[in-house]
Amino acid sequence: MHIFAIANQKGGVGKTTTAVNLAAALALSGHRVLLVDLDPQGNATMGVGIDKRTLSKSLYHLLLGLASVREVRQRAPTCAIDVLPTNRDLAGAEVELVDLPRRESRLKDALLAHAEAYDFALIDCPPSLSLLTLNGLCAAHGVIIPMQCEYYALEGLSDLVNTIKQVHRHFNRDLKIIGLLRVMFDPRSMLSNQVSLELETHFGDKVFKTVVPRNVRLAEAPSHGVPGVLFDRSAKGAQAYLAFGAELAERARQWMGAPGAQTEGRS
Ligand code: ATP
Ligand code: MG
């Protein structure tokens, strides 16, 4: 199983949209996918059609050792992905985790036992560099960083890169930056194009080839509880996330062996 954290401490940059649509895209291409909603906002949970208000067990219970993956996990009603859903309870976990042993590794420990069941686990991180995000980074093999190509995007990036380096040094030697994903891209904007070029110059092949355009259909999909790639598959945004799924699966095969290979051809 490849475990990827979708992280950026900036709010509203497209983490959840990326997590949900990448999960759905990978599932559409026959991969077994687990989506982990690590954000108390519960947007990824709602985005795949699970009602966060009616959860009997959530990621909160899993992280605190009060429930198992099996008890928390749900099948998304809209697509063939399993979800570890979340609601506001998780905000409390931040405080309660502090006194527990292996507080930064609880998600990793929980996922470890299910490594054989999935090709990909995608972790939707909250917009902070908190203990929750730390759990995401400790559990992951790699980080996918969605970014808007605007002036302030680069400013926060160094904080995130430093955090990833620290986690790599102290907790998780597997962790690396898989790539930067340009999202909500406006090809007509000079600034977008400039920042995009700058990213390519600084980060080279760590910048994914796929660029996700700003697309209203992607923004409409969550209110229907359906991933954008299923809501309107022909829309430009959906097409971009389908392409991103293919690009990531290919990179995963090249970089880390080929766990998805045995499931190829499934649908
Ligand atoms: P948070 O930090 O609050 O968790 P986030 O980083 O997860 O936010 P999203 O919730 O994915 O960001 O996106 C923020 C808003 O932008 C949402 O309303 C979403 O629908 C919209 N959005 C995301 N990507 C696109 C896109 N490519 N085109 C148009 N709208 C988008
Ligand atoms: Mg989010």
Side-chain angles (χ1 to χ4, degrees):
M1 170 164 71
H2 296 301
I3 307 176
F4 296 136
I6 322 294
N8 189 329
Q9 78 278 18
K10 279 188 69 140
V13 294
K15 293 180 289 295
T16 301
T17 304
T18 297
V20 165
N21 284 289
L22 178 59
L26 288 169
L28 280 172
S29 57
H31 296 92
R32 300 166 303 164
V33 181
L34 178 68
L35 177 63
V36 182
D37 189 351
L38 193 54
D39 183 350
Q41 295 181 97
N43 293 342
T45 300
M46 298 292 279
V48 296
I50 296 173
D51 189 346
K52 66 180 177 185
R53 292 159 300 195
T54 60
L55 302 176
S56 57
K57 292 280 192 301
S58 69
L59 193 63
Y60 166 82
H61 299 92
L62 182 67
L63 292 183
L64 289 179
L66 304 171
S68 67
V69 167
R70 277 195 188 81
E71 289 169 297
V72 173
R73 173 170 66 187
Q74 289 192 35
R75 191 71 164 177
T78 53
C79 52
I81 61 180
D82 282 349
V83 184
L84 295 176
T86 291
N87 57 27
R88 290 173 57 182
D89 290 350
L90 190 63
E94 191 85 45
V95 177
E96 293 173 58
L97 277 172
V98 169
D99 294 326
L100 296 181
R102 291 178 62 76
R103 60 188 177 189
E104 74 289 330
S105 301
R106 310 214 31 124
L107 180 60
K108 177 185 183 160
D109 295 346
L111 294 183
L112 214 57
H114 298 268
E116 297 303 318
Y118 299 99
D119 301 310
F120 293 95
L122 302 177
I123 305 168
D124 183 27
C125 292
S128 62
L129 297 173
S130 59
L131 185 51
L132 287 173
T133 297
L134 183 58
N135 262 270
L137 296 178
C138 284
H141 303 121
V143 188
I144 295 168
I145 307 173
M147 306 197 44
Q148 292 182 53
C149 291
E150 55 184 34
Y151 182 67
Y152 290 115
L154 294 168
E155 210 168 67
L157 194 57
S158 56
D159 291 339
L160 181 58
V161 170
N162 281 333
T163 301
I164 292 168
K165 279 187 185 151
Q166 295 287 332
V167 174
H168 178 266
R169 187 171 307 142
H170 298 293
F171 297 112
N172 179 3
R173 302 300 293 180
D174 291 339
L175 190 66
K176 59 169 156 251
I177 295 176
I178 299 294
L180 306 176
L181 177 67
R182 291 162 285 182
V183 298
M184 298 189 228
F185 190 78
D186 176 4
R188 289 161 308 179
S189 148
M190 188 116 104
L191 180 62
S192 280
N193 283 295
Q194 255 169 15
V195 173
S196 175
L197 269 178
E198 219 170 300
L199 284 178
E200 286 175 355
T201 309
H202 282 292
F203 293 95
D205 65 0
K206 289 274 186 212
V207 182
F208 290 109
K209 286 197 191 69
T210 308
V211 177
V212 179
R214 188 172 284 283
N215 177 254
V216 67
R217 301 298 271 167
L218 284 176
E220 287 167 357
S223 65
H224 300 266
V226 182
V229 294
L230 299 172
F231 179 63
D232 181 354
R233 201 169 166 164
S234 64
K236 283 212 168 87
Q239 290 293 313
Y241 274 113
L242 290 168
F244 180 50
E247 182 181 357
L248 187 75
E250 179 55 30
R251 279 205 189 193
R253 263 193 290 274
Q254 286 173 4
W255 289 2
M256 303 180 195
Q262 72 272 21
T263 61
E264 241 165 28
R266 286 199 317 150
S267 59

